[in-house]
Amino acid sequence: MQIKRSASRAGALLILALATGHWAQSRPPARLTGAETAVPVLKQIELVAARERPAAESPAAPAPLAAPATAARDCQPLLSLSPRPGALLGLKLYAPCHAGASVTLRHGPLVFAERLDDQGRISLTLPALESQGRVSALFPDAAYASASAGVSGLEQERRFVVQFVGDDAFQLRALENGAAYGLPFAATSGQLTSLGHPKADLPMRAEIYSFPTTPGLQAEVVIEAEVTLATCGREMLGEVVILSHGDITRADLHLPMPGCDAIGDILVLKNLVPERTLAAVH
């Protein structure tokens, strides 16, 4: 069965609205390529049988952050970043007075929510989207921390991001060099990263597919959306962010879902971007 629809702009996207206005006050708008024009998404949607989804591959997490004595005294969250090969950022957050709490992390147009461990720590690897490498952390009680680290090699990376909130869960798959859809994900050059904790207070999550500008490498990115009891018969919202040649393009996803008689099936969104956008440059 095939469904063909045109996507309209989703309006006020839930991901970027958040629950407070702190981001708008503390961060200038992300640099876009010209006007914020919608990427030509949703040209083709297929409904396929439900199947087991392979686990996303994530980079190894950096070593845990040691507990600074100053933070333990005044409870001020401390955020540190370190540049890594492949235009990645090693992120460490220590907030001893927020053990087990949710925290919203923002890097340019990317927004996701994590939960600290029982010692108030988070350690992860973040695919960079901006060369200045600025990251902000905001807690529900308005505690705040930020840091930046210059990122090199961003021009040599291509990144495709889908981000979403709550039950509106989209998932990425990348088909490299003509691989057929339906086969297990086996990226030879690219890497799939999942960010965000599903049990955060406001579960903002993201999936990122990254691959270098290797001559001859081609990649088709598809987005999957499963029909569940929480998503059937309504519209799902998300946002697509594309990094190419150091420039960022953004577009809303606005996907009408089938009725609840289709629970267990998966919508597959193809032809999301022009081939030239994600193709490697010779």
Side-chain angles (χ1 to χ4, degrees), residues 65-88:
L65 179 64
T70 55
R73 287 196 301 269
D74 59 18
C75 288
Q76 174 63 38
L78 295 180
L79 178 66
S80 67
L81 301 171
S82 58
R84 300 182 180 274
L88 301 173

Side-chain angles (χ1 to χ4, degrees), residues 59 64 91 122 134 203 219 256:
L91 182 152
I122 288 176
R134 178 179 170 82

Side-chain angles (χ1 to χ4, degrees), residues 158-160 211 217 219 221 242-243 273-280:
R158 301 289 180 271
R159 293 202 161 121
F160 187 103
F211 70 103
L217 174 63
V221 181
I242 298 172
L243 172 72
V273 293
E275 183 178 345
R276 66 180 181 274
T277 303
L278 289 181

Side-chain angles (χ1 to χ4, degrees), residues 8-142:
S8 61
R9 298 286 291 175
L13 182 63
L14 182 56
I15 291 174
L16 299 181
L18 301 179
T20 72
H22 288 273
W23 299 124
Q25 297 171 12
S26 63
R27 174 81 185 158
R31 182 170 63 92
L32 305 180
T33 307
E36 187 174 337
T37 306
V39 175
V41 297
L42 303 181
K43 290 185 178 179
Q44 182 179 352
I45 304 175
E46 296 180 359
L47 181 63
V48 301
R51 56 169 176 76
E52 184 177 353
R53 175 177 170 81
E57 297 180 0
S58 297
L65 179 64
T70 55
R73 287 196 301 269
D74 59 18
C75 288
Q76 174 63 38
L78 295 180
L79 178 66
S80 67
L81 301 171
S82 58
R84 300 182 180 274
L88 301 173
L89 287 169
L91 182 152
K92 298 176 182 179
L93 176 63
Y94 181 65
C97 295
H98 294 82
S102 297
V103 60
T104 299
L105 298 170
R106 176 166 184 169
H107 169 61
L110 177 65
V111 184
F112 60 99
E114 295 285 356
R115 289 187 68 177
L116 282 72
D117 65 17
D118 57 5
Q119 296 183 11
R121 295 183 175 91
I122 288 176
S123 182
L124 56 85
T125 300
L126 179 67
L129 297 178
E130 295 184 339
S131 59
Q132 66 267 34
R134 178 179 170 82
V135 177
S136 300
L138 178 66
F139 290 87
D141 64 356

Side-chain angles (χ1 to χ4, degrees), residues 180-194:
Y181 178 78
L183 298 178
F185 178 80
T188 57
S189 299
Q191 184 167 273
L192 185 63
T193 304
S194 295

